[in-house]
């Protein structure tokens, strides 16, 4: 669904496996999306370390989704923890802490980012209205951001699809011709 959402917008997409050497692929990329997947994000330390290295050198947009939110947080020096029951299904309300707008989202995760452990230059972006857990983060000085929910799932029916447009707008504005 995520790739389909980007392709609908006329974007060229290259899928790279999580265990590939990301730095060499990032050199040619106009933006990076860290996609979703199952499991405990702390089990993916090789990926976290690669993303951490990219955060030091890559200055184009990075957008994390679901597990990508957790991976980005860990790469930035944050922490994750296991939720007692997880967030599963549609109709999960989240609030954008910048605009104060609420959105209905689709979610399927068992881990969350710990707000208190976010490092300097990172801030919470979205919050789950039901339990107050983190639903997204943003870097203060770089175009790096992520969300815990699935903007490609269209639960509202398209409440948070604008996040892909925002990502692509950033990619376009930072593209060197």
């Amino acid at each position: 669904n995520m790739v389909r959402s980007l392709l609908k917008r006329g974007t060229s997409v290259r899928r790279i496996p999580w265990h590939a050497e990301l730095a060499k692929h990032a050199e040619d990329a106009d933006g990076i999306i860290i996609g979703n997947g199952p499991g405990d994000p702390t089990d993916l330390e090789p990926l976290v370390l690669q993303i951490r290295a990219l955060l030091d050198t890559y200055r184009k947009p990075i957008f994390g989704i679901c597990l990508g939110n957790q991976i980005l947080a860990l790469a930035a020096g944050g922490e994750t923890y296991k939720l007692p029951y997880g967030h599963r299904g549609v109709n999960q309300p989240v609030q954008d802490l910048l605009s104060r707008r609420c959105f209905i989202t689709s979610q399927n995760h068992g881990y969350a980012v710990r707000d208190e452990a976010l490092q300097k230059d990172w801030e919470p972006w979205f919050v789950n209205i039901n339990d107050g857990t983190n639903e997204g983060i943003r870097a203060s000085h770089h175009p790096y951001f992520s969300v815990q929910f699935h903007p490609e799932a269209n639960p509202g029916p398209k409440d948070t699809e604008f996040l892909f447009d925002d990502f692509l707008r950033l990619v376009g504005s930072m593209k060197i011709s």
Side-chain angles (χ1 to χ4, degrees), residues 4-47:
R4 203 170 307 125
S5 290
L6 290 168
L7 290 174
K8 277 192 318 190
R9 292 163 171 79
T11 303
S12 173
V13 175
R14 234 183 324 168
R15 295 170 93 176
I16 309 298
W18 73 272
H19 51 77
E21 187 181 328
L22 299 181
K24 76 175 190 179
H25 294 286
E27 291 173 6
D28 299 329
D30 294 324
I32 296 171
I33 292 181
I34 309 167
N36 53 310
D40 183 342
T42 61
D43 289 341
L44 299 172
E45 187 171 350
L47 176 59

Side-chain angles (χ1 to χ4, degrees), residues 1-13 151-154 157-158 160-162 164-165 168:
N1 282 342
M2 184 181 345
V3 171
R4 203 170 307 125
S5 290
L6 290 168
L7 290 174
K8 277 192 318 190
R9 292 163 171 79
T11 303
S12 173
V13 175
E152 77 281 6
N154 299 332
K158 296 184 179 190
T160 57
E161 195 175 47
F162 71 89
F164 289 110
D165 295 327
L168 292 174

